């Protein structure tokens, strides 16, 4: 289970301020802290207040590249900023986050992914909106996979996100999202990877961490490979480590939760 | 891995005509991958698509049989790369080479020697499975005579190793025994495969490395599918890499040309090295290992290795349920009771040996379950233990009435005494406590 730490995002006050002042310190602190928590990737997002993402995002990438060996997830819908960030990153293994299921977006981003050897988060969402049924979501996942082949990407370069909605207002979606994850594993060999924006499931609900970690282990049982989430929610990371042991993904030992964080 | 949506989608006409009931070809492909639709629902599917998708649902490695009756060897039909993922099903057949340059008494002696390579190990028969008569003389008539002589006397399946002329001379006489023909090569495959087909015999396709062999198998498989693959055996390392890659491609990628059992011939010239080489092939996917070594002392460890590799890891390893004598037992020796789970038994055996006090170990039949597991399942409780001890007649060999039971099942001691009429001594909880226990209780028996 790949944990993509969500904290380096301009929506958070301290990061927003650091971006405005180009102060690397908070970014570096959060990079170290999230790694310690158990993150395998760091999501990097300027937030909505950035004056110019094509400047701010590469700056963030450069700061983080200097201080951490974790791969970075470049989180933006501004494709020029995305490309500038990929150039700044300058090595294979970045994660592009994200594109929706529209041909012009695929045609813009997949060649970038191939050129810079990056993986791509693909959202099961298009102009029409978010599909409700698993079947419609899987059809979009299939579109991504079929396109990946055409652009010389492997199916497992894709992290397909079935889109998870808040359980308090869109209760019927979570179970469809899990069914989508299950079916995505049958699309190709090797199958695409799957991911979710985990915190979405608990938006505006009480007991958010409880909802998050419960959904995480259920989705893992359906075949979830990764999640964008709070890598410093220790109970969440414990639950993920436990689920991996129960799913026979990691060999059991008494200190499995500690071992999971060290990998 | 079953067919994926993408595999199926590539075979579809991509018309999105909805004639199948699905909104798009993509959706139909996914429905098929989920087992909710079948290809015959698509009126526009090509014959090629039907063939490809049909083949993909076949097992990854074809089952091929050599020999008949008692001597029949089943090969192939494997599904995993590592035995711990499930199990390996069909143990590697060991084939011993016999040259057709031997004749008369020499040949008889060789056949007798190979026939005698049958041994008992932990209550099971292990043996050589096959003899490979090789046309070293280069003469077809000599080969035919040798093959007939071996077929008349050998207790094993046959492999005939010769060029097309040699095979044509020898096969018809022994076709009823369904020998394996070695080999169809790039030069002679049409002739050899024709002969195999006419006589209903499996045939080895021998190429030179992965690419060359795959191309040759594709040509042959179009006409005949009872095949075994030989990559040409140039060196141990190369053969190992070829077999690993081939089995991986067959299972993981459904690569049809490698979906057959494989044969490897040992290259080593020294017999001991040959055995080491053969163990590699047994562990790594060979269905047949063809070798020259014929000494029982050399082949025994190889057969034991084969037996171990092909045991089912999902079943608990059990030892024979019986009485074991550890050291020079006397009528004074203690009698220890444990289960026939291999791990349990060997833990107890090791500690009894370590105690330096000879003793009897009664391995009660618990279907290979450990002490506490068997106790919880009612297989290691008073009644079955008393019955088993009685059946084994062990107490008639000793001059006391004491049996020692594992400390963890102390709870059964009262009832066991009642059922068996013996004095039940509760031993230590862990086998590691046996040496101290024995020294404390039987100091006079110290060796």
């Amino acid at each position: 289970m790949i944990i993509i730490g969500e904290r380096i995002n301009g929506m958070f006050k301290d990061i927003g301020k650091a971006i405005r002042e180009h102060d690397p310190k908070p970014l570096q602190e959060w990079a170290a802290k999230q790694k310690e928590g158990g993150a395998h990737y760091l999501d990097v997002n300027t937030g909505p207040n950035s004056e110019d993402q094509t400047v701010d995002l590469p700056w963030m990438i450069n700061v983080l590249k200097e201080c951490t060996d974790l791969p970075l997830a470049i989180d933006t819908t501004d494709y020029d900023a995305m490309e500038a960030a990929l150039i700044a990153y300058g090595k294979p293994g970045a994660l592009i986050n994200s594109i929706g299921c529209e041909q012009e977006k695929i045609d813009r981003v997949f060649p970038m992914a191939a050129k810079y050897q990056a993986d791509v988060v693909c959202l099961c969402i298009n102009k029409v909106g978010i599909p409700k049924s698993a079947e419609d979501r899987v059809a979009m996942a299939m579109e991504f996979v079929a396109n990946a082949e055409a652009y010389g990407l492997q199916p497992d370069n894709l992290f397909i996100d079935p889109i998870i909605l808040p359980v308090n207002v869109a209760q019927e979606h979570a179970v469809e999202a899990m069914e989508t994850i299950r079916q995505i594993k049958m699309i190709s060999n090797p199958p695409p990877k799957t991911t979710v924006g985990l915190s979405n499931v608990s938006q505006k609900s009480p007991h958010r961490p409880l909802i998050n970690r419960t959904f995480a282990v259920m989705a893992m049982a359906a075949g979830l490979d990764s999640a964008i989430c709070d890598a410093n929610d220790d109970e969440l990371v414990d639950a993920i480590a436990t689920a991996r042991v129960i799913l026979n993904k990691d060999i059991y030992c008494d200190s499995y939760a500690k071992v999971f964080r060290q990998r | 891995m079953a067919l994926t949506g993408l595999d199926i989608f590539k075979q579809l006409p991509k018309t999105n005509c909805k004639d199948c009931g699905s909104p798009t070809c993509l959706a139909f492909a996914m429905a098929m991958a989920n087992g909710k639709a079948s290809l015959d629902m698509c009126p526009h599917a090509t014959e090629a698509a039907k063939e490809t998708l049909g083949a993909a649902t076949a097992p990854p490695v074809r089952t091929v049989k050599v020999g008949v009756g008692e001597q029949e060897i089943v090969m192939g039909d494997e599904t995993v790369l590592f035995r711990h993922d499930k199990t390996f099903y069909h143990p590697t057949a060991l084939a011993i080479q016999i040259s057709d340059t031997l004749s008369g008494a020499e040949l008889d002696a060789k056949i007798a020697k190979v026939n005698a390579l049958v041994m008992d190990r932990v209550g099971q028969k292990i043996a050589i499975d096959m003899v490979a008569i090789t046309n070293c003389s280069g003469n077809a008539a000599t080969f035919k005579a040798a093959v007939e002589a071996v077929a008349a006397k050998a207790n094993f399946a046959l492999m005939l190793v010769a060029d097309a002329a040699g095979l044509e001379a020898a096969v018809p006489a022994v076709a009823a025994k369904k020998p394996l023909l070695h080999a169809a090569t790039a030069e002679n495959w049409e002739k050899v495969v024709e002969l195999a087909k006419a006589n209903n015999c499996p045939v080895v396709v021998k190429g030179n490395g992965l690419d060359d062999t795959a191309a040759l198998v594709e040509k042959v498989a179009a006409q005949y599918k009872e095949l075994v693959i030989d990559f040409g055996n140039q060196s141990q390392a190369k053969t190992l890499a070829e077999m690993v890659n081939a089995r991986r491609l067959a299972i993981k990628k459904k690569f049809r040309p490698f979906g057959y059992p494989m044969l490897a011939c040992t290259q080593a010239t020294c017999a001991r090295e040959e055995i080491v080489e053969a163990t590699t092939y047994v562990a790594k996917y060979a269905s047949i290992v063809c070798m020259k070594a014929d000494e029982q002392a050399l082949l025994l460890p190889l057969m034991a290795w084969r037996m171990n590799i092909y045991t089912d890891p999902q079943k608990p390893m059990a030892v024979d349920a019986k009485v074991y004598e550890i050291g020079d037992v006397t009528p004074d020796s203690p009698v220890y009771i444990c289960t026939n789970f291999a791990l349990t038994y060997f833990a107890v055996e090791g500690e009894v040996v370590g105690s330096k006090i000879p003793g009897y170990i009664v391995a009660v039949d618990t279907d290979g379950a450990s002490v506490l597991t068997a106790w919880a399942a009612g297989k290691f409780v008073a009644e079955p233990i008393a019955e088993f001890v009685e059946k084994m007649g062990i107490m008639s060999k000793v001059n006391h009435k004491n049996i020692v039971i594992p400390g963890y099942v102390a709870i059964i001691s009262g009832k066991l005494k009642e059922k068996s009429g013996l004095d039940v001594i509760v031993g230590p909880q862990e086998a590691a406590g046996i040496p101290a226990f024995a020294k404390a209780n039987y100091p006079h028996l110290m060796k």
Side-chain angles (χ1 to χ4, degrees), chain B residues 64-309:
Chain B
V64 178
K65 295 174 181 173
V66 181
V68 288
E70 287 279 286
Q71 302 164 359
E72 184 182 76
I73 300 165
V74 181
M75 301 175 290
D77 198 26
E78 300 292 346
T79 57
V80 292
L81 293 172
F82 301 100
R83 61 189 285 275
H84 62 246
D85 287 336
K86 197 163 195 176
T87 184
F88 293 158
Y89 293 98
H90 301 297
T92 311
L94 302 175
I96 307 288
Q97 290 180 29
I98 298 181
S99 166
D100 69 349
T101 52
L102 300 177
S103 62
E106 275 180 321
L107 186 63
D108 288 349
K110 179 82 177 181
I111 297 168
K113 189 173 184 180
V114 175
N115 277 344
L117 294 169
V118 178
M119 287 150 264
D120 250 339
R121 181 172 183 258
V122 290
Q124 290 184 52
K125 188 183 90 151
I126 51 179
I128 291 299
D129 316 85
M130 206 177 216
V131 283
I133 307 109
T134 50
N135 187 195
C136 299
S137 68
N139 178 309
T142 309
F143 183 62
K144 178 172 187 277
V147 166
E148 284 174 330
V150 174
K153 292 181 184 155
N155 299 334
F156 304 113
L158 307 174
M159 174 156 69
L160 314 187
V161 185
D163 58 11
L167 290 173
E168 275 166 354
V171 170
V174 293
K177 286 193 172 261
K178 210 177 168 186
L180 174 64
L181 315 190
H182 190 293
T185 61
E187 292 74 44
N188 71 9
W189 71 268
E190 279 121 328
K191 260 188 187 168
V192 173
V193 170
E194 194 53 48
L195 180 71
K197 220 166 148 175
N199 291 283
N200 194 21
C201 298
V203 64
V204 177
V205 175
K206 183 176 177 178
N208 180 6
L210 288 170
D211 292 346
D212 180 70
T213 310
L216 184 58
V217 171
E218 264 186 303
K219 274 189 246 171
V220 175
Q223 300 192 14
Y224 194 57
K225 291 196 165 61
E226 299 304 308
L227 311 178
V228 175
I229 299 175
D230 179 340
F231 289 108
N233 301 294
Q234 285 159 353
S235 75
Q236 181 179 343
K238 194 162 177 288
T239 301
L240 171 65
E242 283 160 349
M243 289 203 296
V244 170
N245 278 313
R247 185 52 51 88
R248 208 181 271 167
L249 283 162
I251 289 174
K252 288 187 163 292
K253 300 283 179 193
K254 291 268 184 176
F255 184 67
R256 304 309 305 172
F258 292 156
Y260 298 94
M262 296 181 285
L263 170 144
C265 296
T266 50
Q267 296 300 296
T269 45
C270 151
R272 275 199 302 270
E273 281 180 27
E274 213 188 346
I275 296 296
V276 175
E277 185 182 350
T279 57
T280 307
Y281 300 150
V282 166
K284 285 296 180 191
Y285 319 127
S287 286
I288 304 174
V289 177
C290 185
M291 50 207 300
K292 295 177 285 298
D294 61 358
E295 292 299 329
Q296 182 160 326
L298 289 170
L299 290 164
L300 191 54
L302 177 65
M303 293 184 196
W305 170 250
R306 172 183 62 177
M307 197 172 168
N308 288 350
I309 291 291

Side-chain angles (χ1 to χ4, degrees), chain A residues 237-238 241-242 245 253-262:
Chain A
V237 178
D238 284 345
T242 308
V245 165
C253 68
D254 288 354
S255 56
Y256 67 82
K258 185 173 152 209
V259 172
F260 175 75
R261 285 176 171 79
Q262 290 165 341

Side-chain angles (χ1 to χ4, degrees), chain A residues 6-253:
Chain A
E6 68 186 9
R7 189 58 179 67
I8 302 175
N9 185 319
M11 281 207 301
F12 294 99
K13 276 205 184 84
D14 55 348
I15 300 291
K17 183 163 173 276
I19 295 170
R20 275 197 303 283
E21 297 168 4
H22 276 209
D23 170 13
K25 204 157 172 264
L27 275 69
Q28 291 166 344
E29 281 170 357
W30 274 111
K33 195 168 171 206
Q34 291 186 97
K35 181 173 181 176
E36 201 180 326
H40 306 99
Y41 275 79
L42 300 177
D43 193 67
V44 186
N45 186 321
T46 62
N49 298 327
S50 167
E51 295 281 319
D52 185 353
Q53 282 203 33
T54 56
V55 175
D56 289 340
L57 196 57
W59 172 80
M60 292 172 83
I61 299 291
N62 279 320
V63 165
L64 290 163
K65 195 173 73 164
E66 293 310 308
C67 75
T68 181
D69 56 352
L70 289 183
L72 304 178
I74 297 161
D75 188 354
T76 179
T77 47
D78 175 337
Y79 300 136
D80 295 331
M82 188 184 280
E83 183 140 27
L86 283 164
I87 291 166
Y89 193 60
K91 54 185 174 183
L95 179 59
I96 292 171
N97 186 10
S98 61
I99 58 166
C101 193
E102 287 146 47
Q103 199 58 45
E104 66 275 15
K105 291 180 178 175
I106 293 171
D107 291 340
R108 172 79 172 90
V109 174
F110 276 16
M112 262 201 267
K115 182 176 174 185
Y116 300 104
Q117 293 176 51
D119 295 347
V120 190
V121 175
C122 303
L123 312 179
C124 294
I125 181 170
N126 60 15
K127 285 192 185 72
V128 183
I130 296 167
K132 187 182 159 296
S133 73
E135 199 176 8
D136 293 346
R137 284 175 157 106
V138 173
M140 289 193 197
M142 194 80 170
E143 292 281 356
F144 285 122
V145 175
N147 272 285
E149 283 236 309
Y151 282 107
L153 295 168
Q154 292 298 315
D156 55 0
N157 291 129
L158 308 183
F159 285 62
I160 296 180
D161 184 340
I163 303 286
I164 179 72
L165 293 169
V167 70
N168 57 351
V169 294
Q171 218 181 323
E172 65 280 8
H173 274 268
V175 69
E176 296 289 342
M178 286 191 280
E179 181 54 29
T180 307
I181 290 168
R182 207 169 276 124
Q183 291 202 24
I184 282 174
K185 295 292 155 196
M186 290 190 278
I187 285 182
S188 59
N189 183 12
K193 294 192 176 86
T194 50
T195 194
V196 292
L198 187 65
S199 312
N200 283 348
V201 74
S202 60
Q203 287 288 2
K204 304 262 188 309
S205 298
H207 318 301
R208 290 195 65 184
L210 175 62
I211 295 171
N212 291 348
R213 66 179 177 266
T214 304
F215 179 71
V217 298
M218 291 173 79
M220 284 171 75
L224 182 69
D225 300 295
S226 70
I228 301 160
C229 60
D230 177 358
N232 298 100
D233 176 349
D234 284 343
E235 286 177 310
L236 169 66
V237 178
D238 284 345
I240 288 170
T242 308
R244 280 188 64 83
V245 165
I246 291 170
L247 290 166
N248 196 26
K249 302 251 186 216
D250 292 332
I251 296 177
Y252 177 87
C253 68

Side-chain angles (χ1 to χ4, degrees), chain B residues 364-381:
Chain B
V364 179
D365 189 355
T366 56
D367 299 324
S370 69
V371 168
L372 286 175
T373 309
W375 169 73
K379 292 175 191 165
F380 196 64
V381 291

